[in-house]
């Protein structure tokens, strides 16, 4: 469990960086032979690309690391561990299967989009066309991951469409009947 804490602590740092950039605070690290080879944080708002999740960003970095260091990416992906602060969504869980990642260690669950059991179990369900299933270790430093998410969601996402933004009315405004925007 000590290694899980060590790597998850670093993943939480990347999640915090994403939060500071106005992104959903999810961070991850790919570890190969006890070495950090790729990291990722959400970049959806920055890139205006809904698929720029932390895991997808990091998968691309693993591919680049392999090319730069003369490693066969298929072999590397078969030996890595992914540490991610939040349960991978369905999209990311499928991508991780496609890449043959054997182990994913995550912090808190993802009750809206989770692909490792919270909504669907892309990680373990018999889906041979998606790739080999992977093992999961869940709940590592979950409270810290939830705190970062709460920090993000207590604010307003300035990149959300206008009709999806949270109303910032105070209790006084609501009780007086005034509509303040």
């Amino acid at each position: 469990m000590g290694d899980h804490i060590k790597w998850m602590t670093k993943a939480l740092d990347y999640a915090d960086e994403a939060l500071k950039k106005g992104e959903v605070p999810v961070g991850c690290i790919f570890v190969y032979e006890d070495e950090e080879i790729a990291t990722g944080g959400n970049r959806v708002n920055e890139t205006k690309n809904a698929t720029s999740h932390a895991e997808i960003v990091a998968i691309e970095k693993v591919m680049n690391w392999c090319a730069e260091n003369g490693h066969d990416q298929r072999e590397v992906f078969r030996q890595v561990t992914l540490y991610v602060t939040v349960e991978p969504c369905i999209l990311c869980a499928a991508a991780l299967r496609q890449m043959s990642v054997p182990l994913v260690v995550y912090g808190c669950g993802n009750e809206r989009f989770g692909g490792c059991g919270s909504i669907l179990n892309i990680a373990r369900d018999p889906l041979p066309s998606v790739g080999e299933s992977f093992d999961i270790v869940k709940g590592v430093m979950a409270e810290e991951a939830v705190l970062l998410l709460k920090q993000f969601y207590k604010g307003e996402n300035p990149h959300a469409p206008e009709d999806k933004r949270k109303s910032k009315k105070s209790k006084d405004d609501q009780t007086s009947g005034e509509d303040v925007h």
Side-chain angles (χ1 to χ4, degrees):
M1 191 63 147
D3 277 351
H4 291 337
I5 299 295
K6 168 187 160 185
W7 294 115
M8 189 61 73
T9 299
K10 289 186 174 199
L12 285 162
D13 289 341
Y14 292 111
D16 189 51
E17 285 179 21
L19 176 65
K20 289 174 182 166
K21 294 176 182 174
E23 300 282 355
V24 176
V26 178
C28 68
I29 297 175
F30 275 102
V31 176
Y32 173 70
E33 297 181 349
D34 202 37
E35 178 186 342
E36 176 183 313
I37 63 167
T39 64
N42 273 2
R43 296 183 59 216
V44 172
N45 293 331
E46 173 191 341
T47 63
K48 307 287 189 253
N49 179 340
T51 65
S52 292
H53 294 191
E55 299 93 329
I56 303 301
V57 169
I59 285 170
E60 291 175 7
K61 289 181 179 179
V62 171
M63 291 175 172
N64 291 337
W65 181 88
C66 289
E68 291 168 6
N69 292 284
H71 289 282
D72 179 339
Q73 75 180 26
R74 287 169 292 168
E75 289 305 314
V76 170
F77 275 112
R78 286 186 180 107
Q79 297 176 49
V80 296
T81 298
L82 173 67
Y83 292 88
V84 60
T85 58
V86 178
E87 174 185 2
C89 70
I90 295 162
L91 165 85
C92 292
L96 294 166
R97 273 187 82 154
Q98 286 284 307
M99 304 313 293
S100 300
V101 172
L103 178 62
V104 173
V105 179
Y106 69 84
C108 65
N110 182 342
E111 300 301 323
R112 293 185 67 201
F113 307 109
C116 296
S118 291
I119 301 299
L120 294 176
N121 199 345
I122 302 299
R124 301 296 305 160
D125 283 349
L127 304 165
S129 63
V130 179
E132 297 176 34
S133 63
F134 58 85
D135 293 328
I136 59 171
V137 175
K138 59 185 175 180
V140 177
M141 301 184 75
E143 290 177 20
E144 291 86 345
V146 167
L147 286 174
L148 286 173
L149 291 169
K150 284 181 178 180
Q151 285 180 0
F152 177 80
Y153 286 111
K154 76 178 177 186
E156 178 179 297
N157 182 352
H159 302 287
E162 190 66 39
D163 63 332
K164 299 293 183 190
R165 293 186 188 176
K166 296 177 187 175
S167 174
K168 292 294 182 184
K169 297 179 188 178
S170 71
K171 276 191 166 182
D172 293 338
D173 294 336
Q174 291 173 354
T175 56
S176 69
E178 292 180 38
D179 189 19
V180 179
H181 290 274

